[in-house]
Amino acid sequence: MYIYVNGQYIRKEEAVISPFDHGYLYGLGVFETFRTYKCHPFLLDDHLERLNKGLQELGIMKEFHRNEVMEIIGRLVELNGLPDSYIRFNVSAGIGEIGLQTAPYDGPTIIMFQKSLAPTQPNQEKEAVIVSIPRNTPETIHRLKSHHFFNNVAAKREIGSDTQKEGIFLTKEGFLAEGITSNLFWVQDDVLYTPSLETGILNGITRKWLITMAKRLGINLQEDLFSASALNVAQEIFFTNSIQEIVPVYKLGKKLFPGKEGKLYQKFHKEYKKCVNTHWSIEGL
């Protein structure tokens, strides 16, 4: 497998980073994960917008544009023969002196790699589990998609390695937040609910797509602070994630849900599949 590292396309076994990279030493880095469908990186512009905002907040002096990134993606697709793939695009601060740096970083470490995915994956239902460890608060005002991921790792360890389970974080105040690697939605009486960004969750790209699509379809959407008991009266629950797309829930505790048979889930899934081969941004819906 070939990967991209700072302008070079190399075998993954040959990849190295400096031990003095502040992404390694201090966690100063952000990343995006997205899928390519027949070589098309779905909603790439939205991913780059979020990445660039994160880089700006971290003081990493680099801005990415579609053409530059598409050149990297196209070359990786050619080298690896993977038109349908998972892509991780990672940018860290780069090499610095030991100690916390206040000056901007002008030599970031840029890495992109692919992982094989089937062109179309079955709609796998999941069991939802509310985890006991609370969602940590963002490092600053907004949560970045950053290297600070141990809160997620600790929650995953709590529920175990079963890929058919997804944990749900609560905030320290007890409000519903998000999944371990996803955003959370549920349905009650034809109203779509999702936790507010006020809870400190990541403003996921697929979350933004689904909210935009709900408004386009005339579906009543409520974003607010909700207690965990709200899920007890839900008729549907699903997660969103740029790699797993829209994931229906069939079980939470002892309560069963319709999973992929859910009415609103099916509606959103159908609309999602219409977009994946063509759309660059949510604004294009």
Side-chain angles (χ1 to χ4, degrees):
M1 186 74 69
Y2 284 91
I3 72 172
Y4 172 91
V5 181
N6 291 336
Q8 295 185 310
Y9 299 88
I10 59 177
R11 292 283 185 182
K12 65 179 184 178
E13 296 83 6
E14 300 170 358
V16 295
I17 63 169
S18 169
F20 300 105
D21 191 308
H22 280 203
Y24 171 72
L25 290 177
Y26 304 114
L28 292 178
V30 286
F31 70 97
E32 291 291 325
T33 54
F34 51 89
R35 288 183 64 155
T36 57
Y37 298 81
K38 297 180 180 179
C39 301
H40 177 73
F42 183 47
L43 301 183
L44 176 63
D45 290 353
D46 296 293
H47 285 282
L48 293 182
E49 180 182 11
R50 183 171 65 180
L51 181 77
N52 287 333
K53 287 181 178 178
L55 293 173
Q56 184 178 28
E57 185 163 351
L58 291 176
I60 299 174
M61 298 295 101
K62 175 63 180 176
E63 184 175 356
F64 292 93
H65 301 279
R66 184 200 296 179
N67 289 345
E68 175 187 4
V69 176
M70 278 302 299
E71 183 177 339
I72 300 171
I73 293 172
R75 183 60 175 149
L76 286 177
V77 167
E78 180 183 352
L79 289 168
N80 295 320
L82 294 177
D84 298 282
S85 68
Y86 162 115
I87 287 185
R88 172 157 171 150
F89 187 25
N90 196 90
V91 186
S92 64
I95 298 172
E97 296 296 329
I98 300 299
L100 302 184
Q101 179 172 319
T102 59
Y105 293 91
D106 58 7
T109 299
I110 304 167
I111 299 173
M112 184 184 292
F113 59 82
Q114 286 185 293
K115 186 168 71 174
S116 177
L117 284 175
T120 56
Q121 293 182 314
N123 303 330
Q124 294 185 340
E125 300 172 325
K126 291 199 175 186
E127 176 184 355
V129 180
I130 296 179
V131 298
S132 63
I133 184 170
R135 189 59 167 129
N136 63 350
T137 56
E139 293 89 345
T140 54
I141 297 174
H142 305 291
R143 185 175 299 278
L144 304 180
K145 196 172 180 69
S146 74
H147 293 182
H148 296 271
F149 231 64
F150 186 65
N151 189 222
N152 307 66
V153 173
K156 181 60 178 175
R157 289 175 179 174
E158 181 178 322
I159 68 170
S161 60
D162 187 349
T163 59
Q164 300 311 305
K165 291 183 179 181
E166 171 67 327
I168 297 175
F169 281 115
L170 304 180
T171 67
K172 65 178 182 178
E173 296 84 7
F175 296 118
L176 289 165
E178 60 188 339
I180 294 175
T181 60
S182 62
N183 288 117
L184 172 67
F185 291 85
W186 66 95
V187 180
Q188 181 188 353
D189 298 330
D190 295 322
V191 178
L192 181 66
Y193 294 88
T194 193
S196 167
L197 296 180
E198 185 182 343
T199 60
I201 62 175
L202 180 72
N203 191 9
I205 301 301
T206 311
R207 176 186 187 272
K208 291 171 66 177
W209 177 93
L210 197 139
I211 288 172
T212 301
M213 183 56 66
K215 294 176 181 177
R216 176 181 169 185
L217 296 174
I219 296 169
N220 187 357
L221 171 73
Q222 299 292 325
E223 290 182 75
D224 210 332
L225 303 176
F226 303 100
S227 67
S229 62
L231 298 182
N232 296 334
V233 291
Q235 281 98 44
E236 294 181 56
I237 301 175
F238 40 86
F239 298 107
T240 57
N241 171 301
S242 292
I243 303 301
Q244 299 177 45
E245 302 173 338
I246 306 170
V247 182
V249 170
Y250 75 92
K251 182 181 180 183
L252 171 62
K254 294 182 179 180
K255 184 173 180 180
L256 299 180
F257 294 87
K260 63 185 178 182
E261 301 302 321
K263 182 175 68 172
L264 278 190
Y265 164 75
Q266 289 188 349
K267 184 173 292 189
F268 285 123
H269 178 73
K270 180 180 179 181
E271 294 296 330
Y272 196 87
K273 287 303 184 183
K274 289 180 182 178
C275 300
V276 295
N277 293 323
T278 56
H279 282 66
W280 294 98
S281 72
I282 294 168
E283 285 187 359
L285 293 177

PDB file of all heavy atoms in Angstrom, residues 246-265:
ATOM      1  N   ILE A 246     -24.876   6.436   7.346  1.00  0.00           N
ATOM      2  CA  ILE A 246     -25.966   6.544   8.311  1.00  0.00           C
ATOM      3  C   ILE A 246     -26.211   5.144   8.871  1.00  0.00           C
ATOM      4  O   ILE A 246     -26.509   4.216   8.115  1.00  0.00           O
ATOM      5  CB  ILE A 246     -27.241   7.098   7.661  1.00  0.00           C
ATOM      6  CG1 ILE A 246     -26.931   8.424   6.953  1.00  0.00           C
ATOM      7  CG2 ILE A 246     -28.346   7.293   8.705  1.00  0.00           C
ATOM      8  CD1 ILE A 246     -28.064   8.932   6.086  1.00  0.00           C
ATOM      9  N   VAL A 247     -26.057   4.986  10.174  1.00  0.00           N
ATOM     10  CA  VAL A 247     -26.058   3.663  10.799  1.00  0.00           C
ATOM     11  C   VAL A 247     -27.298   3.504  11.673  1.00  0.00           C
ATOM     12  O   VAL A 247     -27.436   4.182  12.694  1.00  0.00           O
ATOM     13  CB  VAL A 247     -24.796   3.448  11.650  1.00  0.00           C
ATOM     14  CG1 VAL A 247     -24.797   2.053  12.261  1.00  0.00           C
ATOM     15  CG2 VAL A 247     -23.537   3.672  10.808  1.00  0.00           C
ATOM     16  N   PRO A 248     -28.214   2.595  11.299  1.00  0.00           N
ATOM     17  CA  PRO A 248     -29.434   2.416  12.092  1.00  0.00           C
ATOM     18  C   PRO A 248     -29.185   1.587  13.343  1.00  0.00           C
ATOM     19  O   PRO A 248     -28.356   0.682  13.344  1.00  0.00           O
ATOM     20  CB  PRO A 248     -30.366   1.675  11.128  1.00  0.00           C
ATOM     21  CG  PRO A 248     -29.436   0.903  10.244  1.00  0.00           C
ATOM     22  CD  PRO A 248     -28.191   1.746  10.101  1.00  0.00           C
ATOM     23  N   VAL A 249     -29.915   1.895  14.395  1.00  0.00           N
ATOM     24  CA  VAL A 249     -29.810   1.189  15.678  1.00  0.00           C
ATOM     25  C   VAL A 249     -30.996   0.242  15.830  1.00  0.00           C
ATOM     26  O   VAL A 249     -32.141   0.628  15.578  1.00  0.00           O
ATOM     27  CB  VAL A 249     -29.777   2.194  16.843  1.00  0.00           C
ATOM     28  CG1 VAL A 249     -29.916   1.492  18.194  1.00  0.00           C
ATOM     29  CG2 VAL A 249     -28.488   3.012  16.791  1.00  0.00           C
ATOM     30  N   TYR A 250     -30.711  -0.998  16.225  1.00  0.00           N
ATOM     31  CA  TYR A 250     -31.783  -1.967  16.440  1.00  0.00           C
ATOM     32  C   TYR A 250     -32.059  -2.215  17.921  1.00  0.00           C
ATOM     33  O   TYR A 250     -33.113  -2.773  18.277  1.00  0.00           O
ATOM     34  CB  TYR A 250     -31.467  -3.292  15.747  1.00  0.00           C
ATOM     35  CG  TYR A 250     -30.424  -4.136  16.446  1.00  0.00           C
ATOM     36  CD1 TYR A 250     -30.802  -5.107  17.380  1.00  0.00           C
ATOM     37  CD2 TYR A 250     -29.069  -3.983  16.182  1.00  0.00           C
ATOM     38  CE1 TYR A 250     -29.854  -5.889  18.034  1.00  0.00           C
ATOM     39  CE2 TYR A 250     -28.115  -4.749  16.823  1.00  0.00           C
ATOM     40  CZ  TYR A 250     -28.514  -5.702  17.747  1.00  0.00           C
ATOM     41  OH  TYR A 250     -27.575  -6.457  18.410  1.00  0.00           O
ATOM     42  N   LYS A 251     -31.138  -1.764  18.799  1.00  0.00           N
ATOM     43  CA  LYS A 251     -31.312  -2.072  20.215  1.00  0.00           C
ATOM     44  C   LYS A 251     -30.576  -1.052  21.076  1.00  0.00           C
ATOM     45  O   LYS A 251     -29.468  -0.638  20.761  1.00  0.00           O
ATOM     46  CB  LYS A 251     -30.779  -3.482  20.515  1.00  0.00           C
ATOM     47  CG  LYS A 251     -30.949  -3.943  21.948  1.00  0.00           C
ATOM     48  CD  LYS A 251     -30.372  -5.347  22.128  1.00  0.00           C
ATOM     49  CE  LYS A 251     -30.517  -5.840  23.558  1.00  0.00           C
ATOM     50  NZ  LYS A 251     -29.902  -7.173  23.754  1.00  0.00           N
ATOM     51  N   LEU A 252     -31.219  -0.653  22.179  1.00  0.00           N
ATOM     52  CA  LEU A 252     -30.585   0.139  23.230  1.00  0.00           C
ATOM     53  C   LEU A 252     -31.106  -0.392  24.559  1.00  0.00           C
ATOM     54  O   LEU A 252     -32.305  -0.294  24.840  1.00  0.00           O
ATOM     55  CB  LEU A 252     -30.914   1.622  23.095  1.00  0.00           C
ATOM     56  CG  LEU A 252     -30.474   2.525  24.263  1.00  0.00           C
ATOM     57  CD1 LEU A 252     -28.960   2.507  24.419  1.00  0.00           C
ATOM     58  CD2 LEU A 252     -30.977   3.949  24.064  1.00  0.00           C
ATOM     59  N   GLY A 253     -30.222  -0.961  25.350  1.00  0.00           N
ATOM     60  CA  GLY A 253     -30.665  -1.623  26.579  1.00  0.00           C
ATOM     61  C   GLY A 253     -31.577  -2.787  26.237  1.00  0.00           C
ATOM     62  O   GLY A 253     -31.235  -3.640  25.416  1.00  0.00           O
ATOM     63  N   LYS A 254     -32.764  -2.793  26.813  1.00  0.00           N
ATOM     64  CA  LYS A 254     -33.725  -3.866  26.523  1.00  0.00           C
ATOM     65  C   LYS A 254     -34.727  -3.476  25.441  1.00  0.00           C
ATOM     66  O   LYS A 254     -35.562  -4.291  25.044  1.00  0.00           O
ATOM     67  CB  LYS A 254     -34.477  -4.232  27.807  1.00  0.00           C
ATOM     68  CG  LYS A 254     -33.598  -4.857  28.886  1.00  0.00           C
ATOM     69  CD  LYS A 254     -34.409  -5.252  30.110  1.00  0.00           C
ATOM     70  CE  LYS A 254     -33.520  -5.896  31.172  1.00  0.00           C
ATOM     71  NZ  LYS A 254     -34.304  -6.296  32.379  1.00  0.00           N
ATOM     72  N   LYS A 255     -34.629  -2.241  24.970  1.00  0.00           N
ATOM     73  CA  LYS A 255     -35.592  -1.761  23.986  1.00  0.00           C
ATOM     74  C   LYS A 255     -35.108  -2.017  22.565  1.00  0.00           C
ATOM     75  O   LYS A 255     -33.951  -1.767  22.238  1.00  0.00           O
ATOM     76  CB  LYS A 255     -35.851  -0.265  24.172  1.00  0.00           C
ATOM     77  CG  LYS A 255     -36.925   0.272  23.238  1.00  0.00           C
ATOM     78  CD  LYS A 255     -37.301   1.706  23.548  1.00  0.00           C
ATOM     79  CE  LYS A 255     -38.376   2.189  22.576  1.00  0.00           C
ATOM     80  NZ  LYS A 255     -38.779   3.588  22.850  1.00  0.00           N
ATOM     81  N   LEU A 256     -36.014  -2.516  21.738  1.00  0.00           N
ATOM     82  CA  LEU A 256     -35.709  -2.797  20.340  1.00  0.00           C
ATOM     83  C   LEU A 256     -36.232  -1.669  19.456  1.00  0.00           C
ATOM     84  O   LEU A 256     -37.255  -1.040  19.755  1.00  0.00           O
ATOM     85  CB  LEU A 256     -36.333  -4.129  19.909  1.00  0.00           C
ATOM     86  CG  LEU A 256     -35.855  -5.362  20.666  1.00  0.00           C
ATOM     87  CD1 LEU A 256     -36.562  -6.615  20.144  1.00  0.00           C
ATOM     88  CD2 LEU A 256     -34.337  -5.527  20.562  1.00  0.00           C
ATOM     89  N   PHE A 257     -35.524  -1.431  18.363  1.00  0.00           N
ATOM     90  CA  PHE A 257     -35.872  -0.388  17.415  1.00  0.00           C
ATOM     91  C   PHE A 257     -35.947  -0.991  16.009  1.00  0.00           C
ATOM     92  O   PHE A 257     -35.409  -2.086  15.769  1.00  0.00           O
ATOM     93  CB  PHE A 257     -34.833   0.725  17.459  1.00  0.00           C
ATOM     94  CG  PHE A 257     -34.808   1.471  18.762  1.00  0.00           C
ATOM     95  CD1 PHE A 257     -34.034   1.013  19.832  1.00  0.00           C
ATOM     96  CD2 PHE A 257     -35.569   2.607  18.938  1.00  0.00           C
ATOM     97  CE1 PHE A 257     -34.023   1.688  21.041  1.00  0.00           C
ATOM     98  CE2 PHE A 257     -35.563   3.294  20.142  1.00  0.00           C
ATOM     99  CZ  PHE A 257     -34.795   2.828  21.198  1.00  0.00           C
ATOM    100  N   PRO A 258     -36.572  -0.300  15.058  1.00  0.00           N
ATOM    101  CA  PRO A 258     -36.737  -0.872  13.714  1.00  0.00           C
ATOM    102  C   PRO A 258     -35.458  -0.979  12.909  1.00  0.00           C
ATOM    103  O   PRO A 258     -35.434  -1.638  11.867  1.00  0.00           O
ATOM    104  CB  PRO A 258     -37.741   0.072  13.054  1.00  0.00           C
ATOM    105  CG  PRO A 258     -37.598   1.352  13.795  1.00  0.00           C
ATOM    106  CD  PRO A 258     -37.278   0.970  15.206  1.00  0.00           C
ATOM    107  N   GLY A 259     -34.380  -0.330  13.356  1.00  0.00           N
ATOM    108  CA  GLY A 259     -33.123  -0.444  12.618  1.00  0.00           C
ATOM    109  C   GLY A 259     -33.274   0.054  11.195  1.00  0.00           C
ATOM    110  O   GLY A 259     -33.813   1.131  10.933  1.00  0.00           O
ATOM    111  N   LYS A 260     -32.827  -0.751  10.240  1.00  0.00           N
ATOM    112  CA  LYS A 260     -32.865  -0.338   8.834  1.00  0.00           C
ATOM    113  C   LYS A 260     -34.272  -0.303   8.254  1.00  0.00           C
ATOM    114  O   LYS A 260     -34.457   0.160   7.127  1.00  0.00           O
ATOM    115  CB  LYS A 260     -31.967  -1.243   7.998  1.00  0.00           C
ATOM    116  CG  LYS A 260     -32.381  -2.700   7.963  1.00  0.00           C
ATOM    117  CD  LYS A 260     -31.355  -3.507   7.200  1.00  0.00           C
ATOM    118  CE  LYS A 260     -31.704  -4.994   7.178  1.00  0.00           C
ATOM    119  NZ  LYS A 260     -30.665  -5.789   6.477  1.00  0.00           N
ATOM    120  N   GLU A 261     -35.257  -0.771   9.012  1.00  0.00           N
ATOM    121  CA  GLU A 261     -36.647  -0.670   8.572  1.00  0.00           C
ATOM    122  C   GLU A 261     -37.277   0.659   8.989  1.00  0.00           C
ATOM    123  O   GLU A 261     -38.425   0.943   8.658  1.00  0.00           O
ATOM    124  CB  GLU A 261     -37.475  -1.826   9.139  1.00  0.00           C
ATOM    125  CG  GLU A 261     -36.966  -3.206   8.747  1.00  0.00           C
ATOM    126  CD  GLU A 261     -36.907  -3.403   7.240  1.00  0.00           C
ATOM    127  OE1 GLU A 261     -37.821  -2.924   6.543  1.00  0.00           O
ATOM    128  OE2 GLU A 261     -35.928  -4.018   6.764  1.00  0.00           O
ATOM    129  N   GLY A 262     -36.559   1.473   9.724  1.00  0.00           N
ATOM    130  CA  GLY A 262     -37.092   2.756  10.176  1.00  0.00           C
ATOM    131  C   GLY A 262     -37.456   3.667   9.020  1.00  0.00           C
ATOM    132  O   GLY A 262     -36.713   3.782   8.039  1.00  0.00           O
ATOM    133  N   LYS A 263     -38.570   4.352   9.143  1.00  0.00           N
ATOM    134  CA  LYS A 263     -39.103   5.164   8.046  1.00  0.00           C
ATOM    135  C   LYS A 263     -38.175   6.321   7.678  1.00  0.00           C
ATOM    136  O   LYS A 263     -37.836   6.518   6.506  1.00  0.00           O
ATOM    137  CB  LYS A 263     -40.484   5.697   8.433  1.00  0.00           C
ATOM    138  CG  LYS A 263     -41.148   6.524   7.342  1.00  0.00           C
ATOM    139  CD  LYS A 263     -42.562   6.924   7.732  1.00  0.00           C
ATOM    140  CE  LYS A 263     -42.559   7.914   8.881  1.00  0.00           C
ATOM    141  NZ  LYS A 263     -43.924   8.460   9.164  1.00  0.00           N
ATOM    142  N   LEU A 264     -37.750   7.096   8.679  1.00  0.00           N
ATOM    143  CA  LEU A 264     -36.879   8.226   8.368  1.00  0.00           C
ATOM    144  C   LEU A 264     -35.471   7.769   8.001  1.00  0.00           C
ATOM    145  O   LEU A 264     -34.825   8.367   7.140  1.00  0.00           O
ATOM    146  CB  LEU A 264     -36.826   9.205   9.533  1.00  0.00           C
ATOM    147  CG  LEU A 264     -37.988  10.196   9.634  1.00  0.00           C
ATOM    148  CD1 LEU A 264     -37.706  11.261  10.682  1.00  0.00           C
ATOM    149  CD2 LEU A 264     -38.278  10.871   8.300  1.00  0.00           C
ATOM    150  N   TYR A 265     -34.998   6.699   8.635  1.00  0.00           N
ATOM    151  CA  TYR A 265     -33.695   6.175   8.244  1.00  0.00           C
ATOM    152  C   TYR A 265     -33.691   5.842   6.759  1.00  0.00           C
ATOM    153  O   TYR A 265     -32.767   6.225   6.019  1.00  0.00           O
ATOM    154  CB  TYR A 265     -33.319   4.931   9.043  1.00  0.00           C
ATOM    155  CG  TYR A 265     -32.185   4.181   8.366  1.00  0.00           C
ATOM    156  CD1 TYR A 265     -30.885   4.657   8.419  1.00  0.00           C
ATOM    157  CD2 TYR A 265     -32.442   3.045   7.583  1.00  0.00           C
ATOM    158  CE1 TYR A 265     -29.858   4.019   7.741  1.00  0.00           C
ATOM    159  CE2 TYR A 265     -31.427   2.401   6.905  1.00  0.00           C
ATOM    160  CZ  TYR A 265     -30.130   2.888   6.976  1.00  0.00           C
ATOM    161  OH  TYR A 265     -29.138   2.270   6.294  1.00  0.00           O
TER     162      TYR A 265
END
